[in-house]
Amino acid sequence: MSQMFDAQRLRDWAFEPIRHRYSERDTMLYALSLGAGMDPCDEQALRLCYEDRLQALPTMAVVLAYPGFWAKNPATGINWVKLVHGEQQLHLHQVLPSAGEVLGYSRVTHVIDKGADKGALMISERKVCEANTGAVIATMTQTTFMRGDGGFTQRGQRSDDAPASRPAVPSRPPDMKHQLASRPESALLYRLMGDYNPLHADPAVAIAAGFKQPILHGLASFGIAARSLIESCAERNPAGLVDIGVRFSSPVYPGETLETSIWKLDEPGAYAFQTKVLERDLIVLSHGTARIAV
């Protein structure tokens, strides 16, 4: 039986460091799950999925040293059935190697009450560090919408102040657009990165959840948008993307085409973006921001 929701218990949750060794094969599989290599003669894309001069996509950091679906632990008191991944931010402190051994350190930084009928927000942070030196490779911030756990301040618990909202994209037309198709089997490939939620593989589970078929992982859509930014703004060099953040608006079905609209901002190397599915003319990633090394 789950314990009663306790915001402070989440802030104090003890995460053990996660050691993760990944290989060039993992790096290639990650890129393939995001559609790289669909054109066998695209030499630049082959750098993502062929061992000759292999480069890792920076967004692969989100699957490294992941603590798993810990919110499902009854001791958290979270109504995990009603969890939704709301936002994701990734900052690269250095270039992600194509293979290596890392340590992941996770913590909950904020628990925010939105109201008994509006749910709550939990913000967690994960640092991925080189196992040998301790140098930080990437810092990730995830916002989780806990739809079933609002109103805890009415029981005398403390709520953290909410951070600033993600900025909306400019109202003017975008400076560029970039399209990438996802593979029909993309969710089956991406789940091999460690997220085995049957929602992404089992049609019966997906239909019971209200979808017509299994959906693509939100972080896979995040990675595909990052590929568009790298191709459009970083001269197709994965190491050029050093920061990216987004809000998840709607799910993607494997095989759909993602079009990313990109705006140049005043600060050098700064961009705003949003991504829609062409087949349904639906925004799936919104309030996107990115930084390219200059």
Side-chain angles (χ1 to χ4, degrees):
M1 181 180 296
S2 298
Q3 298 189 33
M4 178 178 290
F5 182 85
D6 183 340
Q8 192 58 45
R9 184 186 299 123
L10 297 184
R11 297 185 189 98
D12 295 339
W13 195 264
F15 294 89
E16 293 295 326
I18 304 294
R19 183 176 294 268
H20 188 164
R21 180 178 295 161
Y22 66 100
S23 67
E24 289 190 340
R25 181 181 181 277
D26 298 316
T27 297
M28 290 185 274
L29 181 59
Y30 176 80
L32 288 169
S33 75
L34 302 185
M38 293 176 71
D39 179 353
C41 294
D42 185 343
E43 294 186 5
Q44 291 292 99
L46 280 175
R47 292 162 62 187
L48 306 175
C49 49
Y50 177 50
E51 61 270 18
D52 183 27
R53 295 174 294 165
L54 181 66
Q55 290 183 282
L57 284 166
T59 50
M60 190 175 73
V62 301
V63 304
L64 299 179
Y66 178 60
F69 193 16
W70 64 275
K72 193 175 180 180
N73 186 330
T76 65
I78 295 173
N79 186 347
W80 63 268
V81 176
K82 293 188 176 183
L83 289 184
V84 175
H85 191 168
E87 297 178 353
Q88 183 75 33
Q89 184 79 34
L90 166 65
H91 178 73
L92 278 299
H93 301 269
Q94 57 176 292
V95 175
L96 181 66
S98 60
E101 187 171 8
V102 297
L103 287 169
Y105 301 92
S106 299
R107 66 187 182 110
V108 173
T109 62
H110 298 72
V111 186
I112 302 154
D113 192 5
K114 304 293 287 184
D117 57 344
K118 296 181 180 180
L121 298 177
M122 176 173 63
I123 302 176
S124 55
E125 176 192 87
R126 182 163 97 255
K127 290 186 179 294
V128 172
C129 307
E130 293 179 357
N132 291 333
T133 67
V136 180
I137 298 173
T139 299
M140 286 150 279
T141 304
Q142 175 175 319
T143 300
T144 303
F145 183 24
M146 303 185 291
R147 295 177 296 163
D149 297 302
F152 59 83
T153 53
Q154 298 175 13
R155 302 192 298 271
Q157 300 181 34
R158 175 175 66 87
S159 174
D160 296 307
D161 293 332
S165 298
R166 297 198 58 80
V169 298
S171 57
R172 59 182 171 84
D175 296 298
M176 62 194 93
K177 295 182 179 182
H178 189 269
Q179 294 179 12
L180 285 172
S182 62
R183 298 179 186 274
E185 71 278 18
S186 54
L188 294 175
L189 288 169
Y190 191 87
R191 70 191 300 269
L192 300 180
M193 296 295 103
D195 185 344
Y196 292 101
N197 188 333
L199 181 64
H200 307 293
D202 189 327
V205 172
I207 291 171
F211 301 105
K212 67 176 183 178
Q213 67 181 70
I215 62 173
L216 187 60
H217 305 67
L219 286 176
S221 304
F222 176 74
I224 293 172
R227 282 190 59 212
S228 282
L229 288 158
I230 290 166
E231 297 205 4
S232 301
C233 309
E235 299 181 345
R236 306 193 74 181
N237 178 15
L241 181 64
V242 296
D243 196 276
I244 179 171
V246 76
R247 178 177 296 170
F248 298 104
S249 300
S250 294
V252 173
Y253 290 114
E256 291 184 318
T257 304
L258 279 68
E259 181 180 80
T260 298
S261 298
I262 304 169
W263 290 261
K264 295 179 181 178
L265 302 181
D266 292 338
E267 186 177 349
Y271 296 86
F273 72 93
Q274 68 181 19
T275 301
K276 74 175 182 178
V277 164
L278 286 183
E279 289 83 352
R280 291 179 287 143
D281 193 27
L282 178 68
I283 299 295
V284 293
L285 302 174
S286 67
H287 298 74
T289 57
R291 184 174 300 278
I292 304 295
V294 295

